[in-house]
Amino acid sequence: MGDGSAVSDLRELERASIRRFLEDHRSLFSGARVLDFGCGAQPYRQLILEAGGLYRWWDVEGLPGHVAGDRDQDEFVPVPRGQEFEVVVCTQVIQYTPDPFELVNTLYLIADFPGAATLLLTGPTNWPVVEKEDLWRFTKEGARVLLESAGFSHVEVGYRERVKMEGEAWELGWWALARP
């Protein structure tokens, strides 16, 4: 089929684009309670801590990337609703949920209780299927519709990276910043 190194390079480009998006918004983490929703291996934990955020995580057993048993249980949030967060980070989770509308509604309930947290959300666009649980792809406008349908009123969306192949440009993934 193709060169495995090209896929590896593409994965690194995607990871770097997500990190860059979070780094561009690191000022939001300073002094904030930050929930890393669907954290997987917690690749952005250190970035949040170094920016002065109080890191908390939530993940679901059985989903791809779940490593909750390997993480600091003192930072675990058993039920994210009903707790105050200033920032909710949710990277590369939406493609695995059976119902992306339900996920975004849940994120709205977390962000809107009791104040207005900022949601930093990412998802893939053009990307090979990673696992059988990998279900969804959205354009940035699709992400906007999802967020606005959940009640988010301030929504910004964009593409994280563009890859050029054979004279065509492909968006690698999208980012969204949203507030209730």
Side-chain angles (χ1 to χ4, degrees):
M1 182 149 197
D3 182 357
S5 66
V7 171
S8 176
D9 291 346
L10 194 57
R11 287 181 190 271
E12 288 307 312
L13 185 61
E14 181 184 50
R15 287 183 188 115
S17 73
I18 297 166
R19 177 168 287 283
R20 214 171 23 258
F21 167 64
L22 294 176
E23 286 173 348
D24 287 348
H25 295 89
R26 72 181 292 131
S27 64
L28 294 172
F29 303 141
S30 181
R33 284 180 47 109
V34 180
L35 175 64
D36 191 352
F37 187 91
C39 62
Q42 299 181 357
Y44 310 110
R45 179 181 186 273
Q46 197 59 38
L47 179 128
I48 292 165
L49 291 172
E50 288 173 0
L54 176 64
Y55 183 84
R56 295 293 180 256
W57 63 272
W58 186 84
D59 206 0
V60 175
E61 267 187 76
L63 291 180
H66 172 76
V67 292
D70 300 335
R71 299 296 167 202
D72 184 345
Q73 294 299 313
D74 291 336
E75 295 176 342
F76 176 69
V77 177
V79 180
R81 293 183 197 160
Q83 300 182 40
E84 185 171 352
F85 298 99
E86 287 79 31
V87 181
V88 178
V89 173
C90 183
T91 61
Q92 306 305 98
V93 173
I94 200 162
Q95 67 267 31
Y96 296 112
T97 184
D99 185 342
F101 285 93
E102 181 182 351
L103 171 67
V104 174
N105 285 331
T106 298
L107 293 170
Y108 179 83
L109 292 173
I110 294 167
D112 195 43
F113 183 90
T118 299
L119 171 64
L120 301 174
L121 180 68
T122 69
T125 49
N126 297 304
W127 189 255
V129 173
V130 179
E131 295 96 4
K132 68 179 174 83
E133 297 87 358
D134 188 354
L135 304 173
W136 304 100
R137 298 292 181 268
F138 294 95
T139 63
K140 69 178 188 172
E141 291 309 315
R144 177 185 306 281
V145 168
L146 277 171
L147 291 162
E148 289 175 350
S149 73
F152 286 96
S153 57
H154 174 81
V155 178
E156 298 173 41
V157 293
Y159 288 118
R160 293 190 322 266
E161 191 69 60
R162 290 182 67 103
V163 178
K164 292 185 179 182
M165 295 184 298
E166 301 178 13
E168 297 288 330
W170 303 89
E171 286 78 17
L172 184 57
W174 53 267
W175 60 265
L177 183 147
R179 292 185 185 95

